[in-house]
Amino acid sequence: MLSGRRLDLLDPSPLDVEIEDIAHGLARVGRWNGQTAGGHVFSVAQHSLFVEAIAAEMAPGLADPGRLAVLLHDAAEYVIGDIITPLKSVIGDGYAAVEARLRAAIHLRVGLAATPARDIARLIKRADKVAAYLEATELAGFSRAEADEIFGRPEMRPAELAAYLAPWPTDEAQSRFLRRFRELSAARSF
């Protein structure tokens, strides 16, 4: 990693995880394999912030640790990239196992449980699905009918979240991700 850390992908240690490496990597990994409209790639860092904002609308009373788990839902992609869902299913259990170990190490590093509680995991799935629908139709060229069939029609679309769908420059995505991480983890020591 740029921090100088060496991360073992098969047996990741929480001590080798740095939030700056995560923010740097996620800001440079493109969603939808980079096949999105706009002058900049729509990054996983921006997607993570978008999903966290959607989750906050769905569960307004969600405490900061839960919101932090939502923000970090794709954090493992800072080292393994964002693989589209159809390819993940072809790759199978090996990819899922590596992703789960990385996610657990990240969560432990930031003071969260290795895996999110069931209610948080469900919220993440719901918010991620809304984000995927909106990204697909607004950025990735899907028709609404096609997105309805693949993702299901989203249950919400607050107007104030539309700003998340304009791709940001890499540096902006990285700094916004780091800032939000620090806001949500202010009461914790790392």
Side-chain angles (χ1 to χ4, degrees), residues 14-89:
L15 298 175
D16 292 327
V17 172
E18 295 293 338
I19 189 61
E20 290 80 7
D21 290 334
I22 293 171
H24 180 87
L26 294 183
R28 286 158 177 77
V29 173
R31 291 271 296 160
W32 306 95
N33 285 339
Q35 298 299 308
T36 53
H40 302 282
V41 68
F42 187 77
S43 71
V44 175
Q46 186 169 351
H47 163 78
S48 297
L49 289 157
F50 187 35
V51 172
E52 192 260 330
I54 292 168
E57 291 292 323
M58 291 177 160
L62 184 63
D64 286 353
R67 291 180 74 160
L68 186 58
V70 176
L71 180 68
L72 296 172
H73 78 281
D74 281 338
E77 294 177 7
Y78 88 104
V79 258
I80 58 175
D82 183 24
I83 296 178
I84 59 175
T85 301
L87 183 55
K88 280 183 186 176
S89 64

Side-chain angles (χ1 to χ4, degrees), residues 71-164:
L71 180 68
L72 296 172
H73 78 281
D74 281 338
E77 294 177 7
Y78 88 104
V79 258
I80 58 175
D82 183 24
I83 296 178
I84 59 175
T85 301
L87 183 55
K88 280 183 186 176
S89 64
V90 171
I91 294 171
D93 295 338
Y95 177 85
V98 169
E99 184 179 36
R101 285 193 295 271
L102 283 166
R103 186 179 313 111
I106 292 163
H107 279 211
L108 292 172
R109 174 68 171 107
V110 302
L112 297 173
T115 57
R118 187 172 297 154
D119 61 328
I120 300 296
R122 280 195 298 265
L123 176 63
I124 290 168
K125 271 197 181 308
R126 286 177 46 226
D128 200 25
K129 201 170 193 179
V130 170
Y133 179 95
L134 296 172
E135 292 166 12
T137 57
E138 300 295 322
L139 297 169
F142 285 60
S143 70
R144 296 214 183 277
E146 185 179 22
D148 285 351
E149 187 177 315
I150 295 169
F151 306 106
R153 184 165 300 265
E155 55 192 77
M156 58 164 294
R157 184 182 178 157
E160 60 272 10
L161 297 179
Y164 285 95

